[in-house]
Amino acid sequence: MHLKADSSKCTGCRLCQLACSLYLFQENNPKKSCLAIVPQFPDPGVFGVRTCTQCGECAEVCPVECIPQNEKGAYYIDADECIACLECVEVCPENVVFTHPDDEAPFECNLCGECVHFCAYGALYIE
Amino acid sequence: MKNVQVTLVGLLKKYAPGQSSLTMEAGQTVMEVIRELGLDPDLVAIVLVNGRQKFKSYRLRDGDRVKLVPMVGGG
Amino acid sequence: MLNGYGGRVLRVNLTDGTFRKSELDPELARDYLGGRGFAAKTLYSEVEKGTDPLGEGNKLIAAAGPLSGLLIPGAGKTTFAAKSPATGGYADSNVGGLFSAEMKYAGYDLIVLEGVSPEPVYLFIDDDTVELRDASAYWGQGSITAETALKNELGEDFQIAVIGPGGENLVKYACISHDFGRQAGRAGVGAVMGSKKLKAIAIHGTKSIPVADVDEYRRIGREMYDYCKASDAWEVWVRLGTSGVNVPSNEWGSFPTRNFQSGYFDEIEKMTGEYMRETIVITDKACFACPCACGKYSHSKKWDIYVEGPEYETAAFLGADVAVSDIEDVAYGNYLCDELGVDTISAGNVIAFATECFEKGIITSKDTGGLELSFGDSEVVFELIQKIAKREGIGDVLAEGVKHAAQVFGGDSADFAMHIKGLEISGYDSRNAPAMMLAYMTADVGGHHNRAWAITYDIEVGRDAITEGKAAKVIELQHIRPLMDCLGTCRLQWVELGMPLDYYAPAMQAITGVGRSWDDLLHIAERVWNLTRAFWVREVDGFGREWDYPPPRWYTDPVTTGPTKGKLVAREDVDKLLDMYYRQRGWDGNGIPTQEKLDQLDLDFVGI
C-alpha cells in the first residue's frame, strides 16, 4: 500500500503539500511536505507528481536503523535517532525523502492520507 | 414517457421550491423545460446535459440528465 | 510575530539599489488587513500628490493578505498596485497563482518598489537574501520566455512575476504576468514596473506562516474545502472555468460585440466553453490551494502555441468585441498578449475601437500604415497587438488606450471610446443591467467588473428597474469582493460554488487571533473603498461626478442586435443611479466623501 498519483488530474494547486505540512508538523509550509509537484510549463503544460512508493530503500541504507514502519506499513524517520547523514535522501529513487533548513532529520510520507482527503481533483489515492 | 432527469442547482431551488430534482419528457427543448418550471430563463446561466454545456435550444433525448446552473456572482 | 502574516515589509529602492526590511506594523494589519488594503494605504500615504505615474516618485506595491498561503480555498491572490499610468488615479490589479503564498513563506506581506533603476534588473528574493540582479539578458524577452528562462536559471520552486515588451515599452495597459498565464492585467501596473526598469521579481521562501489557533483553523479550513468539493456547481466550474460564462453572457445580451455595438455575438458556436474544452484545453490549472481550478491550459494545434485560457474576458475582447469567432484564433491573440505583456481586455477594446473608427472613416489606411481594419479579421488583430506592444506606427497611439486614441482620432469617436475614468470597460455590456452599469461607473480603478458584479441582481429584480436597491447591492458587493482582495483570497468559491461567507470571520479569528465579526471586516473594506476614492480626489484635478459617467454609447446608442436590442440606460437614469449611490455612500452630490463619512471610517489623515 502506498500513495499514488494520477498526475493528469493534478492542477498544481499544492494544497496536498500544505495539508501534509499541517499534519506532519502542524505548520503552514509546503516546503515541509512529503510529496513533490513538478510543473512542466509552458510546454507540454502538465503537472508531474512524485510520491513515495514505500520501496524501503531508505530503511535499508540507514546506518542507525532509525527508519521503521508504522501501523500502515509506511516507513518513517525517527527524528530522535536520526544522525542526519542524509543517506536516505541520496538513495531514494523517487527523490521523495525531503529536508528542510529548520530540521536536521529528513522526512517522508507516512500514509496519513491528508493529501488524499484535500485533493479536490482525485489526483491522489492510496492503494 | 418521462425519462429525462432534471436537477436544479444552488439558488434556482429557491425559485422552484420542491422541484430541485424531477423527471421530464424527452422531445422538448431545455428552454421549454425552464419555462414549464416557471423560471426566468436569464436566471439559468449554464445548461449541462450529461455533463456537457448545451444551448437552451437543445432538444432533450431519452435518458438525458440535465443540470440547470445559476450564475451567482459572475467573474 | 503577527499571526497570519509573513511579518515583514520589504522596501527596495531601485534608484540606488538599497533595501530595507522592517517588521509589519501591527496597526496597519489591524486597520487594513492586507492586500489591497495595504496597497491603498501605502499609496495614499507615500506617493506624493501629482506624482508622474511613470516617474521616479511612483511606487509599485506587491501585497499578500492574511489568508494568502493558508488552508483556505483560493488563498492565492496577490495585489499589484500603483498610481495608474492609464488613468492617473488609483490602480490595483490582482493576480492568482502562487506568488503571494511564496511571499509569505519568504516572510513578507508587502513589497514596496521605489525609484527607477538605471539599468534593467530583476529582484531576487530567497528568504532573507535580497538582491537586485542584472536583467539585460532578459530585457526584450516575452513574459513566457523570460519566466521559463528565470525558472531554468533559479529553479522551479521560484515564483516569478514578470513583464514583457509591453511593460518595457510603457504600454499604458501593460500587465504583470505570473505562472505561465496569470496576469495582474489592469490599469497599467506592468507599465509602472517597466518604468522602473524592473523586468521581474523572483521569490522563494521556506518559512512557516504562524497562526493563532492551529486546530480551529484546520477545522474551519477543512469544512470550507469539503463544502467546495460537495458543491453541485463544482463539476461545471472545473470543466469550463470562466469560459462557461461565454454562452450565458451572450444570452443575457451582455457579451461585448463589435466594440460594444451589441451585446450579442451571433457566431458563438466555436467560442463556447464546451467547444473550447473539447478542442484545445489540455490541463486544468489552479491557483494556490484552490479546489475549483478555473484555469484552462490550452494548446492550439492551428497555431502550435500553449496558453492559459482563453478565459471569459479574453473571449469577449479578442473574440466577440473584434468579431473573431474561432477559439483557436482567440487563443493565438491571447498568447500574443500574454507573451508581449499587455492586458487582453484593454488591448481587444482598443483594437475594436480602432476598427469601428476605420469602418466609419474617422481613420484611414494612411493612419494605420496601410492596414485595412475590419471586424472579424483575426490577422489584423494579431498585427495590431504586436504594433501596440512595440509602439510601432498606429500602435503607438493605441498603446495609450481608447481615451487618448479618441482624442487623437477625433470626430465623434469619443462617444464610442469604451472606457470609464480612462480604463477600458471589461466584458459585460450593461445597457440592460443598470446595477452592473453603476458597478462599472463607480469601480475604483475605472471600467472594471470585479469590484461588483451585479447582473444576476438586475435579472432577479427586473432588468429595466432603476432602484435604491440596485445602488445598495452595488455598494454591498463593493465591500465584499474587495474585502477578499484585502484578505488575499479569491471570491469565486463564494460567487460560483456558493460557499457561505460565514466562514471568513471565524477563519480570520482562528488565524490572526483577533476577534472580528463579518461586519467588522466589511467596515475595513468600506474604509479602503473611501480611501481609494480620496486618492482619485487628490490626484485628479476637478475629480467628481463627471468621472463616473459611462461612455455616451451606453446612454445614447441602443443595443443593435440580440435579446437586449433597443436597450440603453437613459442619461437621466444614469444620474438617478449616481444620486442614489452617492447618498447611500455618505458622499456629496459630486461624489466626494464627506468629512463625516471619513471620520466614521477613521480616515483622519485624509484631507479633502
Side-chain angles (χ1 to χ4, degrees), chain B residues 8-11 13-15 40 42-46 48 51-53 55-56 67 69 71-75, chain C residues 232 235-236 239-240 244-245 247-248 251-252 272-274 428 449 453 456 459-460 463 481 491-492 495-496:
Chain B
L8 303 188
V9 168
L11 101 170
K13 291 172 192 161
K14 188 171 88 184
Y15 292 98
D40 177 348
D42 279 352
L43 281 172
V44 180
I46 296 178
L48 283 184
R52 301 286 180 269
Q53 188 179 25
F55 290 105
K56 288 174 187 143
K67 263 191 186 179
V69 185
M71 190 61 60
V72 185
Chain C
D232 40 19
E235 172 194 14
V236 61
R239 179 167 174 77
L240 304 178
V245 187
V247 168
E251 290 174 344
W252 292 323
T272 70
E274 195 62 52
Y428 297 96
H449 63 282
W453 190 94
T456 304
I459 292 166
E460 277 185 273
R463 295 185 66 166
R481 296 167 68 115
R491 63 199 176 273
L492 294 179
V495 163
E496 306 298 354

Side-chain angles (χ1 to χ4, degrees), chain C residues 148-228:
Chain C
T148 309
L150 282 162
K151 286 215 171 211
N152 285 341
E153 181 180 325
L154 304 173
E156 172 51 50
D157 275 358
F158 275 79
Q159 297 305 329
I160 314 287
V162 61
I163 58 168
E168 297 171 11
N169 296 329
L170 311 180
V171 174
K172 293 286 172 65
Y173 41 90
C175 57
I176 299 174
S177 300
H178 163 60
D179 198 26
F180 301 104
R182 297 243 163 209
Q183 286 82 23
R186 306 240 61 203
V189 288
V192 176
M193 191 154 156
S195 75
K196 298 191 175 306
K197 293 270 193 330
L198 181 66
K199 179 68 180 178
I201 306 169
I203 190 161
H204 174 250
T206 64
K207 300 173 197 285
S208 299
I209 304 167
V211 296
D213 182 343
V214 71
D215 292 335
E216 177 66 358
Y217 144 71
R218 287 176 68 191
R219 186 190 67 74
I220 297 171
R222 181 179 285 256
E223 267 188 43
M224 292 170 91
Y225 280 103
D226 287 349
Y227 187 97
C228 291

Side-chain angles (χ1 to χ4, degrees), chain C residues 174-418:
Chain C
C175 57
I176 299 174
S177 300
H178 163 60
D179 198 26
F180 301 104
R182 297 243 163 209
Q183 286 82 23
R186 306 240 61 203
V189 288
V192 176
M193 191 154 156
S195 75
K196 298 191 175 306
K197 293 270 193 330
L198 181 66
K199 179 68 180 178
I201 306 169
I203 190 161
H204 174 250
T206 64
K207 300 173 197 285
S208 299
I209 304 167
V211 296
D213 182 343
V214 71
D215 292 335
E216 177 66 358
Y217 144 71
R218 287 176 68 191
R219 186 190 67 74
I220 297 171
R222 181 179 285 256
E223 267 188 43
M224 292 170 91
Y225 280 103
D226 287 349
Y227 187 97
C228 291
K229 285 187 282 183
S231 163
D232 40 19
W234 185 90
E235 172 194 14
V236 61
W237 191 245
V238 174
R239 179 167 174 77
L240 304 178
T242 62
S243 74
V245 187
N246 300 1
V247 168
S249 182
N250 207 39
E251 290 174 344
W252 292 323
S254 66
F255 204 41
T257 300
R258 294 179 167 80
N259 195 37
F260 286 87
Q261 292 179 55
S262 180
Y264 182 76
F265 188 47
D266 52 15
E267 300 170 70
I268 201 170
E269 284 75 18
K270 285 187 170 179
M271 255 175 57
T272 70
E274 195 62 52
Y275 183 84
M276 173 176 148
R277 177 91 215 181
E278 284 167 1
T279 51
I280 61 172
V281 174
I282 52 173
T283 299
D284 299 320
K285 188 161 169 278
C287 299
F288 179 80
C290 176
C292 47
C294 70
K296 301 299 135 207
Y297 197 78
S298 299
H299 177 242
S300 163
K301 288 198 186 78
K302 179 175 175 182
W303 298 100
D304 193 24
I305 49 93
Y306 291 86
V307 68
E308 182 169 333
E311 54 91 57
Y312 170 80
E313 291 290 335
T314 303
F317 287 103
L318 298 178
D321 208 40
V322 290
V324 168
S325 59
D326 185 337
I327 197 70
E328 297 225 28
D329 294 340
V330 179
Y332 188 63
N334 194 166
Y335 163 79
L336 286 175
C337 284
D338 286 7
E339 176 72 344
L340 295 169
V342 295
D343 175 32
T344 56
I345 299 173
S346 286
N349 219 309
V350 168
I351 292 168
F353 169 75
T355 305
E356 184 169 350
C357 285
F358 193 94
E359 292 199 342
K360 289 187 165 158
I362 296 171
I363 57 172
T364 66
S365 55
K366 268 188 263 171
D367 303 294
T368 62
L371 215 53
E372 300 280 326
L373 275 54
S374 75
F375 284 113
D377 188 340
S378 54
E379 292 291 344
V380 170
V381 172
F382 305 153
E383 184 77 21
L384 285 174
I385 292 169
Q386 296 180 70
K387 284 184 182 297
I388 288 166
K390 294 169 188 160
R391 283 186 174 270
E392 279 175 10
I394 193 171
D396 196 34
V397 176
L398 300 182
E400 296 290 306
V402 289
K403 184 182 178 185
H404 177 84
Q407 286 162 3
V408 174
F409 295 165
D412 64 349
S413 66
D415 291 350
F416 54 87
M418 300 305 291

Side-chain angles (χ1 to χ4, degrees), chain C residues 116-156:
Chain C
V116 168
S117 171
E119 299 296 333
V121 289
Y122 76 90
L123 177 63
F124 171 92
I125 305 168
D126 188 2
D127 282 327
D128 298 340
T129 304
V130 180
E131 295 169 9
L132 281 173
R133 293 184 172 180
D134 175 26
S136 51
Y138 302 111
W139 201 254
Q141 284 184 353
S143 305
I144 301 166
T145 305
E147 181 166 10
T148 309
L150 282 162
K151 286 215 171 211
N152 285 341
E153 181 180 325
L154 304 173
E156 172 51 50

Side-chain angles (χ1 to χ4, degrees), chain A residues 64-118:
Chain A
V64 293
E65 296 180 6
C66 78
I67 309 185
Q69 286 172 285
N70 67 16
E71 69 284 358
K72 290 178 179 165
Y75 293 94
Y76 68 99
I77 297 168
D78 183 345
D80 294 335
E81 302 295 323
C82 174
I83 57 167
C85 69
L86 305 188
E87 286 286 325
C88 53
V89 176
E90 289 289 313
V91 79
C92 177
E94 304 295 327
N95 273 327
V96 288
V97 181
F98 295 89
T99 59
H100 186 276
D102 285 357
D103 301 288
E104 286 200 348
F107 37 91
E108 59 183 312
C109 175
N110 67 1
L111 285 177
C112 74
E114 280 290 280
C115 56
V116 176
H117 175 84
F118 275 97

